[in-house]
Amino acid sequence: MKYATFFLACAGLLLSTQALAVDPFEDFHEYGELSEEEIHALHEGEFLYGDVEFGALLNRGNTSNTAFKLKSNLYQDFKYWRNQFKFDGAYRREVDPDTNIEDETASRYFISAQGNYKIGQKNTSLFLYGDYELDKFNGREYTTTFVIGYGKRVFEGRKNTVDLDIGPGLSMYRRDDETELEPEQERVERGHLLRAALQWERTVSKRTRFNQDISYERSVSGLGARIFSETALISQVMGGVSMKVAYTYRYHSQPEEGKEKVDSEIGVTLVYSFN
């Protein structure tokens, strides 16, 4: 509840700042002035650019816990290829108030890479996508996906852009050694899937933007469906540093026994953009 309250307070602060008749930081930085496509055009040919996000929570006293979050979103943009690399890591330790023993309560790491081959029509591409996830508490030793497909910008306005990727692929995961197998189950499962990913970006002001990223994977081999969604409001603070308030939602239709289908979080982090 305290995180939800903090999220609402931060969101209210950002919105109230935009409501001012004169924004004292309106021309302080070019953040938000350029569309995503203009940013890529500006950095075309560069080896690496993007942003890194970090958050930490340390509590001592009546409750004791330590949590870290690290994310990165990096690009390479060449004449024919645009490559994107993502990393998302979260770690948390907490002290049990009954036993006074500190132990891990969260440990999740996710990496992905996507290469888009630019074809003749503007904002249209063929892509290769792969990801790998390690989550110590979801009952699986690892989960990995590989997809090939078609990407296109389906809408582009003065303040909004919407990009869509869709294609078939393969998935594989391994149940951890502590999971007891049912008679029809195997330790390693493989199957085919269809994946669709949508990214909506809206420029709120010259220094604030709204992002909605969502992906949906549906197995055609009976391994269920996965949904990932991140809803974020990002506002520039100074220079290349911004504050990000985000709600993340993860869903799996067929979790391991004793695990929840939904995993969600609300977070406030600092983002550093570099080029």
Side-chain angles (χ1 to χ4, degrees), residues 40-53:
H40 290 315
L42 181 65
H43 297 290
E44 185 173 1
E46 294 186 7
F47 180 73
L48 201 66
Y49 63 96
D51 54 65
V52 177
E53 173 183 339

Side-chain angles (χ1 to χ4, degrees), residues 17-263:
T17 301
Q18 305 310 318
L20 293 174
V22 177
D23 186 345
F25 297 98
E26 186 74 12
D27 297 315
F28 185 71
H29 191 262
E30 67 177 10
Y31 188 88
E33 292 184 9
L34 303 178
S35 67
E36 182 184 4
E37 188 60 31
E38 288 171 328
I39 292 174
H40 290 315
L42 181 65
H43 297 290
E44 185 173 1
E46 294 186 7
F47 180 73
L48 201 66
Y49 63 96
D51 54 65
V52 177
E53 173 183 339
F54 178 76
L57 177 65
L58 304 176
N59 282 338
R60 294 294 183 268
N62 294 325
T63 60
S64 181
N65 58 65
T66 302
F68 296 98
K69 184 176 182 64
L70 177 65
K71 294 183 68 174
S72 64
N73 186 19
L74 306 177
Y75 289 95
Q76 294 175 320
D77 205 322
F78 305 121
K79 183 176 180 179
Y80 296 110
W81 284 93
R82 177 180 299 154
N83 304 317
Q84 183 179 21
F85 308 96
K86 290 185 177 183
F87 173 82
D88 185 356
Y91 179 81
R92 184 171 66 245
R93 297 183 66 90
E94 294 183 276
V95 174
D96 189 320
D98 297 325
T99 63
N100 204 34
I101 296 176
E102 185 180 34
D103 201 3
E104 289 182 350
T105 57
S107 179
R108 184 185 69 254
Y109 304 96
F110 172 89
I111 58 173
S112 70
Q114 179 166 327
N116 286 67
Y117 180 76
K118 306 171 187 177
I119 55 181
Q121 190 176 357
K122 183 181 178 182
N123 295 320
T124 303
S125 63
L126 301 176
F127 71 85
L128 300 172
Y129 170 86
D131 65 40
Y132 187 85
E133 181 181 46
L134 298 174
D135 190 335
K136 191 174 181 180
F137 296 93
N138 72 349
R140 296 182 177 180
E141 188 173 309
Y142 64 82
T143 303
T144 186
T145 301
F146 177 77
V147 180
I148 60 174
Y150 174 78
K152 182 176 178 60
R153 175 157 296 173
V154 294
F155 178 81
E156 183 170 14
R158 188 172 65 89
K159 289 189 174 184
N160 296 276
T161 59
V162 180
D163 295 294
L164 177 66
D165 292 341
I166 187 167
L170 304 172
S171 65
M172 181 174 67
Y173 66 85
R174 186 186 191 281
R175 295 183 175 92
D176 62 30
D177 295 332
E178 297 179 1
T179 301
E180 295 185 8
L181 300 180
E182 300 293 334
E184 72 281 2
Q185 290 181 332
E186 296 183 2
R187 186 68 63 184
V188 178
E189 298 278 7
R190 300 177 179 86
H192 299 85
L193 58 81
L194 181 65
R195 183 178 193 271
L198 181 143
Q199 179 177 337
W200 170 31
E201 180 176 295
R202 175 175 174 81
T203 301
V204 179
S205 75
K206 287 187 177 181
R207 66 188 189 97
T208 303
R209 71 181 180 186
F210 169 84
N211 279 0
Q212 175 63 63
D213 293 324
I214 184 168
S215 63
Y216 175 76
E217 297 176 2
R218 179 69 187 183
S219 172
V220 295
S221 305
L223 301 182
R226 292 198 306 170
I227 298 175
F228 171 82
S229 173
E230 183 185 71
T231 306
L233 191 65
I234 308 170
S235 185
Q236 186 264 339
V237 178
M238 65 173 62
V241 179
S242 304
M243 185 178 75
K244 177 179 178 181
V245 184
Y247 172 72
T248 304
Y249 174 90
R250 297 178 179 87
Y251 169 83
H252 196 294
S253 64
Q254 296 181 11
E256 300 304 317
E257 184 177 357
K259 306 300 180 181
E260 298 290 337
K261 290 185 177 182
V262 175
D263 184 13

